[in-house]
Amino acid sequence: MTENGAPQGLPGRLLAEPEMITACAARDFARIFQLAKSRGGFHPSRIARACELTPSRVGEVIAGKRKITNMTVIERIADGLRIPGDMLGLAIRSWERPAVPVQDSAAIMRTPKEVKPVELSLPGSELDSILAIAAGTKVTPTVLRSLQASIEDYWRRDDEHGGEALRPAVIGQLRYVTGILRDTADPNYRRSLHGIAAELARLTGWTYFDARQYSTARSYFTQSLRLAREIDDRPFIANVLACLSLQATYQDQPRDAIALVRAAQDSARLDGGTPRLMAMLSMREAFGHASARDHEATHQAIGEAHHYFERIGEADDDPAWVQYFDRTKLTVDTGIALGQLGDADAAEPLIADALTAEPTTNLRGRAFHTFWLARTQLQRRKVELACATVGEALDLATIVESPRVIAHLQEFRHLLEPYSDATAVRNVVTRIAEVTV
C-alpha cells in the first residue's frame, strides 16, 4: 500500500545517510523509526501498518521503552520499510531481486511517459569487492595484528551485547579478509589470513546460531571448517565442530551433538589438545548426553571435564579462543548439564556460585545462567524464588540482543503453567510476554 501516491518504503536518500546506516548496523530501531518519521515522512501509524505492528508498540520503541530482537519482526520491518537486507544483517530480501519486465504489444505502442530518476540503494558486496581490489591492501604484520585485535573486540562485544548488532561488521570484515587472501602470495601471511578468516566465519556462524537461524549458521560454520582445513589447524577445527555440536543440542539432535563433539575431541588430540580445550570439549559432550537423558554418560563426561581442567598449567599453549573456559565456566556448565538431567538439588548451588563469580559485563552469559538458576529453583518447587530469579533474566534480556535468551524465557513461561494460580507467576508471565513479543 501507498499513502497519497508516495512510493512504498523509505526514500533512498534516507537509507544512504550515515546516521541511518549506523542505526541499521546496530539494529537500533528506536533511531530507525525516529529517522523514518523526521526525515522520511513516516509517522508512527504508517510505520505500524507497513511493518504489521501496533502504533502503541512503535511508540514504545521510539521512546526506548521496548527493544526489538525477534527475527520475524526484524524481517517484517526490513520488508515493510524496504530496508535492504544487508543493512540489517539479513539475507537479501525477495523484493531486492529485480523482476523480469513483461511487455505486451499495447504497452509497446503506448507513448512512453517521462522517466523518473531511480533512487540508488547502498553498495552491495560485489561493489565492496571491486573497491577492495582497487585499494590493493598490502598485508603486513601490523595489518594482521589489527585484524586479530578486531576479532578479540568482537568476542568481548558478543559476550556483552549478543551477536545481533555485531553481525554486519563481522560479515564485512570476513569479505575484506577473504578478498585480500586471494591477492596474497606469501605463504606465512596466507596462513595467518586463513586463520583470521576461519575465525570470522565461525563468529558469523555463531551470531546466526544466537539468532536461532540454524541453517545459515551451519553454512558459515562449514565455511570456517574449510578455511581451517586449508592450514590443517586441528584445534580450531575442534572448536568449530564443538559449535556445531552445541547447535545440534539446541535442535534436539543429541546423537548428532555427541558425534560432532567426539569428532572434535579426535581432531584436538591429533594436535595434542591442551587440557583446557579438552575440558571444554568434554563438557560439550556432557550437554549432548544430558539432552539424550543418559545419566551415566553425562556424569562420565562431566568427570572427564573436571579431570582435564585440574591438569591445566601456566605453560599450556592455549589458543586465545578457548581461554574463556575458566573455573567459573566449568562450574556453571556442570550445573546446567545436571539441571538438564533433572538433578536440580546438585545443579542449583553450582549455578548460583558461578553467578557470583561471573563478570558483570558478560550480560548474555549472565542472562542464560540466571534462566538456568530459575529453572532449577522451579524444579525444586521454589516457585516464588524462581519467579524473582527469572525477573533478573528478564532485566538482562531487555539490554541483550539474543533470540536464544528470548527462546529460553518463552520456555520458562510454559514451565510455569502448572503454577498459574500464584500471583508471582501471573506477574512474571505478563513480563515475559511483554519482553518476548
Side-chain angles (χ1 to χ4, degrees):
M1 297 292 293
T2 61
E3 292 188 6
N4 302 324
Q8 186 181 28
L10 299 177
R13 56 172 172 74
L14 175 57
L15 293 172
E17 289 186 14
E19 194 170 356
M20 178 59 85
I21 294 170
T22 300
C24 288
R27 289 187 178 170
D28 183 351
F29 291 102
R31 190 61 187 141
I32 290 170
F33 289 171
Q34 289 165 0
L35 291 169
K37 178 183 177 183
S38 63
R39 302 181 193 176
F42 276 62
H43 46 77
S45 61
R46 184 177 176 186
I47 294 172
R49 285 196 298 273
C51 304
E52 301 177 42
L53 300 170
T54 62
S56 61
R57 184 174 181 185
V58 172
E60 290 173 352
V61 172
I62 292 174
K65 296 179 180 179
R66 183 187 286 265
K67 295 180 73 68
I68 294 176
T69 60
N70 185 284
M71 286 305 302
T72 301
V73 177
I74 292 172
E75 289 173 345
R76 289 208 309 263
I77 292 170
D79 295 338
L81 300 182
R82 287 300 191 262
I83 300 174
D86 63 350
M87 289 184 68
L88 289 168
L90 302 173
I92 187 170
R93 314 308 299 158
S94 60
W95 49 265
E96 293 185 74
R97 300 183 179 93
V100 178
V102 177
Q103 291 183 311
D104 56 23
S105 57
I108 294 172
M109 293 300 293
R110 283 197 294 267
T111 302
K113 296 181 179 179
E114 179 185 355
V115 178
K116 296 182 179 180
V118 177
E119 291 179 332
L120 298 178
S121 61
L122 296 173
S125 60
E126 183 178 358
L127 182 53
D128 287 343
S129 299
I130 292 171
L131 294 174
I133 293 169
T137 302
K138 182 180 179 181
V139 181
T140 66
T142 301
V143 169
L144 295 176
R145 285 194 297 270
S146 176
L147 290 170
Q148 186 59 43
S150 295
I151 287 173
E152 292 173 7
D153 184 57
Y154 292 150
W155 292 342
R156 177 186 59 78
R157 290 162 59 191
D158 179 59
D159 287 340
E160 292 180 3
H161 307 296
E164 286 289 302
L166 193 65
R167 189 185 308 121
V170 180
I171 292 174
Q173 192 149 53
L174 175 59
R175 288 178 185 163
Y176 170 76
V177 172
T178 53
I180 61 176
L181 178 58
R182 287 192 294 267
D183 298 330
T184 301
D186 186 298
N188 293 321
Y189 286 153
R190 284 186 61 81
R191 180 176 179 83
S192 296
L193 288 170
H194 262 102
I196 290 168
E199 172 54 21
L200 289 169
R202 187 208 65 83
L203 187 53
T204 302
W206 180 262
T207 65
Y208 278 113
F209 161 62
D210 194 41
R212 305 178 77 235
Q213 297 183 48
Y214 297 135
S215 296
T216 308
R218 191 180 186 93
S219 68
Y220 277 101
F221 286 145
T222 302
Q223 180 185 5
S224 179
L225 281 173
R226 292 194 184 104
L227 287 161
R229 187 71 179 176
E230 286 288 325
I231 55 175
D232 199 32
D233 188 342
R234 293 286 180 174
F236 190 80
I237 290 171
N239 187 29
V240 181
L241 289 170
C243 292
L244 284 163
S245 172
L246 185 62
Q247 177 169 303
T249 301
Y250 269 80
Q251 293 179 278
D252 294 322
Q253 298 169 348
R255 293 177 62 180
D256 288 354
I258 295 164
L260 285 162
V261 77
R262 284 179 172 169
Q265 291 165 353
D266 289 341
S267 181
R269 289 190 189 99
L270 287 172
D271 196 70
T274 65
R276 190 184 305 273
L277 173 57
M278 298 307 298
M280 182 272 283
L281 296 175
S282 295
M283 190 53 69
R284 291 287 172 89
E285 183 180 354
F287 286 162
H289 291 305
S291 182
R293 301 296 187 269
D294 187 331
H295 287 248
E296 182 179 355
T298 301
H299 281 281
Q300 182 177 344
I302 289 173
E304 290 174 356
H306 283 257
H307 170 73
Y308 280 120
F309 195 87
E310 295 306 324
R311 293 173 52 195
I312 292 175
E314 293 182 2
D316 292 344
D317 188 19
D318 282 321
W321 43 260
V322 78
Q323 291 177 9
Y324 78 95
F325 196 83
D326 56 12
R327 188 170 293 280
T328 299
K329 182 63 172 168
L330 174 71
T331 301
V332 76
D333 281 0
T334 300
I336 290 171
L338 293 174
Q340 285 181 301
L341 288 179
D343 189 356
D345 290 348
E348 182 187 355
L350 291 172
I351 299 172
D353 287 348
L355 275 167
T356 62
E358 189 170 25
T360 56
T361 54
N362 186 6
L363 300 179
R364 186 184 55 196
R366 292 187 67 84
F368 278 123
H369 303 153
T370 304
F371 155 76
W372 275 104
L373 178 60
R375 194 174 188 270
T376 58
Q377 290 167 342
L378 190 63
Q379 288 173 324
R380 300 183 75 186
R381 302 292 192 272
K382 300 178 181 180
V383 178
E384 289 194 6
L385 180 58
C387 289
T389 301
V390 87
E392 297 175 20
L394 283 163
D395 292 339
L396 290 167
T398 61
I399 54 178
V400 174
E401 297 284 347
S402 175
R404 270 196 305 149
V405 171
I406 298 299
H408 279 308
L409 292 171
Q410 291 170 330
E411 173 191 344
F412 194 80
R413 181 173 59 182
H414 294 303
L415 295 175
L416 288 171
E417 289 175 358
Y419 312 98
S420 58
D421 292 338
T423 301
V425 170
R426 290 197 299 270
N427 291 339
V428 83
V429 164
T430 299
R431 280 199 65 197
I432 292 173
E434 291 174 349
V435 170
T436 60
V437 170

